[in-house]
Amino acid sequence: MPTLRIAGGRLVDPANGIKDEVRDVWIEDGKVVAPPPDPSARADRTIDARGFVVMPGGVDVHSHIAGSKVNGTRMLRPEERRDPESVWPRRDGFRSGTIGSVPSTFVTGYMYGGLGYTTAVDAAIPPLSARQAHAEFRDTPIVDKLMLVLMGNSHSVLDLVGQDDPDRLRQAVAWLLDSAGGYGVKVVNPGGVEQWKQGGKKIARWDDRVETFDVTPTQILQGLAGAVDELRLPHPVHLHGMNLGLPGNWGTTLEGMKVLEGRRAHLAHVQFHSYGGSADDPSSMDSQVGPLADYLNSHPNLSADVGQVLFGETTSMTADGAVGQYLANLTGRKWLSIDVEQEDGCGVVPITYDDRNYVHALQWAIGLEWFLRVEDPWRIALSTDHPNGASFLSYPRVIALLMDRNLRDETFARLPERLKGKTGLADLSREYTLEEVAILTRAAPARILGLRTKGHLGPGADADVTIYAPDDDRRRMFAMPRYVIKAGVVVVDDGDLRSAPDGDTLLVDPGVDPRARSGFEARLAEESSIHPANFRVRADEVARPRAVPAGH
């Protein structure tokens, strides 16, 4: 492959201790390489980056871009595709598609690339939907993709937790990951979705019991987090806790952190789990980010992404099917519920975040509080829980708010008066630097995911690079990169999308005991409608697989 030199840019590469220094970046065969020792050496192509800001490609640690919930949304919301402004027209070298809250597959890749993002995680795929999700990954260009596999309500997992058999539970986790072609383990409302599907009493506390399996959410979370640690998977258990979106849920969020007892965990869309007040009185809702952030700050086994809410129209989708039902009843809008046999549920509801609505305004403020109260930027990542809080296309708006207190204050002043005293956002003066933005959007999510070749531009890194024109308007700066390079290929050139190469699928090889696999598949044949031969995703069904070794 030809060599590429990015010359004279202001390199911001926090993982390698480079805050904002004029340097060259050399690329060969899709990787960053050390500059040649001969100072007169010439590359096949040179991008003059003098005056521009050079960062690694963005890494989205938590989004929803494939699988049954995404396709369910496309079916539920045809109105989004009737808007002429939602059309992505066909042009040379690119496919047509639609945008809306859930863009079509090709457009998802184009828009991530156009934003300077080169890696994205789908954070909730049940094993039975993995084949479909991989097919969609194949049709999503530019970005490298990863999927997290839902296990917190799997019958196989709940059975083994109830039997208190950690060895077989660890084998089951490896089997499910391998069968799905997954990268990490996702836990959603452990046991609560199964209980809801069976019509049982709501699971609201960590010591409640899942009636059919006689286990508690504590046992499920501890079992899965322990299995992830014992398998030495690169990413810790990815946790969506209990009581998502309900006033007063901060107590169960704090208890969930304690239940882990030092095991590694990443807290997903933590904004939706940080509410004070009472579920019986939504008007009592307030922010409880302070004590939660204090706990995270003092416990290095934990990291989080935010799930920032921004005002406007979007779609809520969650594997927490009970939350889907709650939202549909609350908003009166149409609702889609999807049941995945023996594995999980899913709820999809359109939602409009209104800046005149007290609860929505408080959610906006709580998300920003999280960014500003977590002291170590390496342990928090930018997310909108796309599309739940807003589209990933909103990331530049969030960055602008984090870098400019005046912009936050101006927005806050337009929100409902009663917000004052319910959130501490107005008292937070912190403003993110360019280095901190690079950590938040690239280096930290890559480190949290255990992706050693992502999120930095040292020798051996994937040649994923974003080049920005400095602009006092931070939203504009981060919305329109001047150049984006993916694996050494220039995909955005002088601000225009020019190419759309395929991305890789990143997965782990957890090491599956063949005898254990046979046992799990035999049970599958006995107790479900799924033939074992149709359960495991074949290697040729994974687009451009790239294994990331476990054991780190």
Side-chain angles (χ1 to χ4, degrees):
M1 180 178 284
T3 52
L4 173 65
R5 176 190 177 197
I6 301 168
R10 292 171 49 193
L11 183 61
V12 182
D13 184 10
N16 289 303
I18 302 171
K19 295 183 178 179
D20 187 352
E21 300 175 16
V22 175
R23 294 204 183 190
D24 290 356
V25 176
W26 284 76
I27 291 170
E28 185 174 11
D29 292 333
K31 295 287 185 181
V32 176
V33 296
D38 180 358
S40 64
R42 292 178 177 271
D44 296 293
R45 178 180 177 182
T46 297
I47 292 176
D48 183 356
R50 288 176 296 176
F52 293 115
V53 174
V54 179
M55 293 185 181
V59 178
D60 195 343
V61 73
H62 186 109
S63 67
H64 301 288
I65 57 173
S68 51
K69 80 278 187 186
V70 171
N71 276 303
T73 300
R74 292 174 180 135
M75 291 187 287
L76 183 72
R77 306 211 62 191
E79 69 275 10
E80 284 197 327
R81 279 138 191 84
R82 298 187 187 117
D83 182 351
E85 293 186 1
S86 179
V87 175
W88 178 284
R90 182 188 298 274
R91 57 190 175 99
D92 290 346
F94 300 96
R95 299 279 294 267
S96 61
T98 53
I99 306 175
S101 60
V102 181
S104 49
T105 50
F106 289 96
V107 176
T108 296
Y110 301 154
M111 300 190 87
Y112 261 125
L115 200 61
Y117 271 70
T118 50
T119 305
V121 175
D122 190 294
I125 301 292
L128 271 175
S129 294
R131 179 171 285 103
Q132 174 190 340
H134 279 295
E136 292 171 273
F137 278 4
R138 187 182 296 276
D139 278 354
T140 305
I142 300 178
V143 288
D144 292 335
K145 284 81 59 179
L146 306 75
M147 68 171 67
L148 306 181
V149 180
L150 290 162
M151 297 191 191
N153 292 278
S154 160
H155 286 198
S156 299
V157 167
L158 299 189
D159 264 345
L160 293 170
V161 169
Q163 294 166 18
D164 193 21
D165 189 341
D167 289 339
R168 289 199 70 220
L169 177 59
R170 184 179 66 251
Q171 293 167 357
V173 169
W175 167 63
L176 289 169
L177 269 178
D178 181 72
S179 298
Y183 183 81
V185 175
K186 177 73 176 294
V187 176
V188 171
N189 186 5
V193 178
E194 173 62 21
Q195 184 98 325
W196 172 76
K197 285 167 62 173
Q198 301 302 329
K201 182 180 176 183
K202 175 180 169 58
I203 298 284
R205 300 179 58 83
W206 287 96
D207 57 358
D208 286 345
R209 300 202 77 80
V210 184
E211 294 160 4
T212 313
F213 294 88
D214 195 26
V215 296
T216 65
T218 293
Q219 291 173 295
I220 299 167
L221 178 58
Q222 289 181 341
L224 286 172
V228 168
D229 282 351
E230 289 169 13
L231 288 166
R232 302 180 70 193
L233 298 181
H235 182 49
V237 70
H238 197 104
L239 175 63
H240 156 150
M242 291 189 295
N243 299 322
L244 180 142
L246 294 181
N249 65 5
W250 80 278
T252 48
T253 302
L254 182 62
E255 188 63 24
M257 296 187 202
K258 295 177 179 177
V259 156
L260 286 157
E261 296 179 346
R263 300 172 181 87
R264 296 181 305 152
H266 176 80
L267 310 176
H269 41 66
V270 69
Q271 178 276 132
F272 288 109
H273 300 270
S274 308
Y275 308 151
S278 166
D280 297 326
D281 180 15
S283 66
S284 66
M285 185 170 156
D286 63 6
S287 168
Q288 291 296 328
V289 177
L292 294 174
D294 286 346
Y295 191 90
L296 187 142
N297 285 333
S298 61
H299 289 78
N301 59 309
L302 301 174
S303 60
D305 66 84
V306 169
Q308 178 66 41
V309 159
L310 290 162
F311 303 118
E313 177 78 12
T314 189
T315 305
S316 165
M317 60 176 68
T318 174
D320 199 337
V323 170
Q325 183 183 34
Y326 170 79
L327 264 182
N329 291 333
L330 186 69
T331 64
R333 300 186 71 168
K334 55 187 175 181
W335 169 44
L336 176 67
S337 182
I338 302 171
D339 176 29
V340 185
E341 180 182 352
Q342 296 195 358
E343 291 185 349
D344 224 292
C346 173
V348 180
V349 184
I351 188 166
T352 305
Y353 292 107
D354 186 342
D355 61 3
R356 298 166 300 180
N357 180 299
Y358 168 72
V359 172
H360 297 166
L362 184 62
Q363 290 176 309
W364 174 87
I366 286 174
L368 293 173
E369 269 198 74
W370 265 106
F371 288 115
L372 300 170
R373 288 189 186 277
V374 172
E375 296 164 355
D376 180 358
W378 288 93
R379 292 171 54 209
I380 193 156
L382 173 58
S383 82
T384 55
D385 187 16
H386 165 82
N388 284 291
S391 164
F392 63 80
L393 294 172
S394 301
Y395 290 172
R397 294 167 60 189
V398 182
I399 293 170
L401 288 164
L402 295 176
M403 298 186 77
D404 187 342
R405 181 184 181 182
N406 289 334
L407 182 60
R408 292 198 302 268
D409 289 346
E410 290 169 6
T411 308
F412 190 81
R414 296 197 298 269
L415 301 181
E417 182 71 17
R418 56 188 289 228
L419 207 61
K420 295 175 181 175
K422 298 290 188 178
T423 164
L425 178 64
D427 299 325
L428 300 174
S429 60
R430 180 179 174 186
E431 293 181 329
Y432 269 57
T433 63
L434 269 182
E435 181 194 15
E436 288 177 317
V437 169
I439 296 172
L440 183 77
T441 56
R442 289 115 162 111
R447 181 177 291 184
I448 290 168
L449 288 164
L451 296 172
R452 294 190 168 198
T453 62
K454 301 289 187 185
H456 73 98
L457 293 175
D462 291 349
D464 300 344
V465 188
T466 306
I467 303 174
Y468 299 102
D471 192 330
D472 290 338
D473 184 334
R474 300 301 193 182
R475 177 177 175 180
R476 183 168 57 201
M477 171 178 170
F478 285 98
M480 295 185 289
R482 183 63 63 90
Y483 296 93
V484 179
I485 294 131
K486 175 68 184 71
V489 177
V490 177
V491 297
V492 172
D493 192 332
D494 203 19
D496 288 334
L497 190 64
R498 301 293 178 88
S499 64
D502 294 333
D504 293 343
T505 302
L506 304 175
L507 39 77
V508 294
D509 178 5
V512 184
D513 182 334
R515 291 173 299 178
R517 182 194 300 280
S518 297
F520 293 131
E521 291 185 346
R523 180 188 159 167
L524 197 66
E526 292 175 2
E527 299 185 1
S528 77
S529 66
I530 307 130
H531 192 287
N534 297 325
F535 186 67
R536 186 181 183 190
V537 175
R538 299 191 313 272
D540 64 353
E541 294 175 310
V542 179
R544 296 170 58 94
R546 182 174 13 148
V548 175
H552 293 292

